[in-house]
Each structure stands twice: as C-alpha cells, then as structure tokens.
Amino acid sequence: MTKMMKALNEQINKEIYSGYLYLSMVNYFEERSLDGFASWFKAQAQEELYHAMRIYNFIHEVGGKVVLEAIEKPDIEWTSPLQVFQEGLKHEKFITASIHELVQMAEEEKEYAVRDMLQWFIVEQVEEEANFSLHVDQLELGGDTGAALMLMNSKMAARVPLPLSADEQTE
Ligand code: OFO
C-alpha cells in the first residue's frame, strides 16, 4: 500500500472516531435530559460518518484498498456542557491539522486526484471549527447552567441531521 493510501485509511479511522466521540457526547447530554444538545451532537456524529464515507468511496473509485482498523474508545465524562464543546473544538483542530498534513503529502507525492478530493475537507474544517467555536463563545457568555443553558438547549434542537446515505448528501 502506498504512503498516501495508508494515510487516507488512517483518516477514515479518525473520522469514524470523531463520530464515536460525538456519539459519546450525545450520551452525556441524553443523561442530563438536554435533548436539544443531544440532537445537535447526533447530527454531528452522523456527519462524521459521512466524512469517512467520502474518503472510503474515493479509495474504491481509484482502485485502492480500504483497511478498517479498530476505533479507539472515546472519553465518556466531561465536567460541564462548556467543557464538552471545548473538547470538541480541540478535536476539530486536530482533524484540521490532519487534513492539512494529507494535503501536504498529496502535493509532495504528486497525488493530484487526492489533492483535489481533499479540497472539500479543507473548506469543511473551517465550518467545523467555526461551529464549535461559536458554541464555546455562547456558553462562555451566557453561562452553562440554568435559564441560559435551557434557552440554548431549545435552539440546538433546530439542527437537522443529514440523510443517512452518503449519495443523498450535497454538503
Ligand atoms: Fe470530520 O470533521 Fe469533524 O471531525
């Protein structure tokens, strides 16, 4: 397997791990009856599987080999809703760095089709970080308890999950 293919397979693992981490965060909010936050993270977890499938489908399209490895156990406990979003933001920054490393590798290895496929992820990561950052700011400003938290909880419920099939998605 080429260096590039190995790195793309690792990225599939990281994207599925992201989904697993966010599903764990869903759990955190479900246990506290914060249904709006839980629903927001469900949509986020679903989106991560879609990210994994974009790379999975690309590898098959170019005749490469997908090798699925074990998914690491995610954290299961956080100290507050604010900390959940801070950890989410930290994780998204890690994913952005990982995508940028892939871009650099694709350029060095003259893997132009890979480089082109990764462009979507560069843009997506800007959005991913902005989403988490916005909620960190809002929780810091409004506080993450009482009425402010309940108000934000109802707002979070508005996020609509993407369709389950990667083929139906346009984002
Ligand atoms: Fe896949 O973007 Fe978040 O992790």
Side-chain angles (χ1 to χ4, degrees):
M1 186 181 289
T2 64
K3 186 176 160 185
M4 191 79 249
M5 274 299 149
K6 192 169 175 290
L8 288 178
N9 270 288
E10 283 165 6
Q11 191 64 32
I12 291 179
N13 190 281
K14 286 176 193 168
E15 299 291 347
I16 295 176
Y17 172 79
S18 301
Y20 211 29
L21 173 66
Y22 296 144
L23 195 56
S24 185
M25 291 174 171
V26 171
N27 226 12
Y28 171 90
F29 288 113
E30 298 263 28
E31 283 170 4
R32 284 156 184 82
S33 299
L34 289 164
D35 55 341
F37 284 97
S39 155
W40 191 91
F41 272 99
K42 263 183 206 163
Q44 183 65 30
Q46 215 169 307
E47 204 173 293
E48 296 301 347
L49 284 181
Y50 167 61
H51 293 173
M53 288 309 293
R54 275 189 89 107
I55 303 172
Y56 174 100
N57 289 339
F58 174 84
I59 294 179
H60 280 293
E61 221 172 341
V62 297
K65 189 166 174 56
V66 170
V67 180
L68 299 174
E69 300 288 351
I71 308 296
E72 197 190 322
K73 182 182 176 186
D75 282 346
I76 55 168
E77 206 44 75
W78 294 274
T79 55
S80 65
L82 173 60
Q83 203 214 356
V84 173
F85 279 90
Q86 286 169 331
E87 288 302 315
L89 177 59
K90 200 164 108 191
H91 181 69
E92 286 305 329
K93 287 186 174 178
F94 162 74
I95 294 293
T96 300
S98 176
I99 294 291
H100 291 176
E101 278 167 27
L102 286 175
V103 169
Q104 201 180 339
M105 186 185 292
E107 285 171 358
E108 283 165 8
E109 302 287 314
K110 299 189 175 26
E111 293 270 10
Y112 301 119
V114 176
R115 174 65 188 84
D116 183 60
M117 181 273 292
L118 290 171
Q119 189 58 36
W120 182 91
F121 283 89
I122 295 176
V123 177
E124 176 69 7
Q125 281 312 117
V126 172
E127 193 189 301
E128 292 281 81
E129 286 193 29
N131 272 341
F132 275 94
S133 189
L134 175 81
H135 295 117
V136 166
D137 290 349
Q138 288 181 345
L139 287 166
E140 276 174 354
L141 279 170
D144 69 350
T145 55
L149 186 67
M150 293 317 293
L151 186 66
M152 197 164 160
N153 182 61
S154 358
K155 217 185 97 191
M156 300 300 273
R159 182 173 182 185
V160 182
L162 293 168
L164 276 175
S165 158
D167 296 339
E168 294 171 48
Q169 299 185 359
T170 50
E171 279 182 57

